[in-house]
Amino acid sequence: MLIDKVEKTKLAALAKPQPGRSIRPGTDKVHKANFPSRYIPREVEREVWQRDGGQCAFVALNELRCRERAFLEFHHVKPYARMGRATVANISLRCRRHNQYEAELVFGPRNLGRVAERSEPPGVFESQ
Ligand SMILES: [Zn+2]
């Protein structure tokens, strides 16, 4: 009989799925309205590209700058997820590896096993 009751309760719960509720009602809209756009305007991209010389702008602790010129990405210096805006001041060129590396510094590693083996930032460097 107990099993019967439990089954009925479970089935009832499945039959009536709860509508997606906000964890903090009233905050969702405010959050969205204040969030900056992820879109980087063409003018900003062009200016950043010229300023950084079409080269990854990552500078290591030993002050050597990355030499990578291929597969460059527009990096938010202050992360987009932390309200970083798509302005020339906040956008910088990064190669794929350094964009990933800096994202891991902020958000934590994607792949703990792989990153744990890494003792220094990846990349090829040259003196300024
Ligand atoms: Zn780089």
Side-chain angles (χ1 to χ4, degrees):
M1 223 167 90
L2 180 63
I3 291 171
D4 221 44
K5 194 182 173 189
V6 170
E7 285 298 314
K8 273 183 188 162
T9 313
K10 271 188 183 172
L11 288 174
L14 287 175
K16 286 187 286 180
Q18 297 294 307
R21 276 197 206 143
S22 177
I23 296 169
R24 287 168 289 168
T27 59
D28 292 4
K29 269 185 187 168
V30 175
H31 181 68
K32 240 186 180 171
N34 288 337
F35 222 74
S37 170
R38 194 177 181 86
Y39 171 75
I40 303 171
R42 274 266 170 246
E43 317 86 70
V44 171
E45 287 187 351
R46 196 165 42 236
E47 227 177 293
V48 167
W49 188 274
Q50 282 173 359
R51 182 198 62 206
D52 293 349
Q55 180 181 338
C56 175
F58 182 89
V59 178
L61 289 176
N62 59 9
E63 296 184 358
L64 296 182
R65 181 178 171 182
C66 177
R67 292 186 306 192
E68 190 60 72
R69 290 179 174 274
F71 305 110
L72 297 178
E73 299 172 351
F74 291 95
H75 166 72
H76 284 71
V77 176
K78 180 182 177 186
Y80 169 74
R82 302 216 170 136
M83 308 292 279
R85 294 183 181 276
T87 58
V88 173
N90 193 48
I91 300 294
S92 185
L93 286 180
R94 291 291 184 279
C95 66
R96 206 174 170 76
R97 286 190 294 179
H98 281 129
N99 205 5
Q100 178 70 36
Y101 172 75
E102 291 190 305
E104 285 173 355
L105 290 182
V106 175
F107 301 109
R110 272 191 181 169
N111 181 334
L112 282 169
R114 182 174 57 81
V115 174
E117 291 170 18
R118 193 186 283 164
S119 57
E120 57 189 41
V124 276
F125 298 98
E126 69 183 4
S127 307
Q128 283 296 298

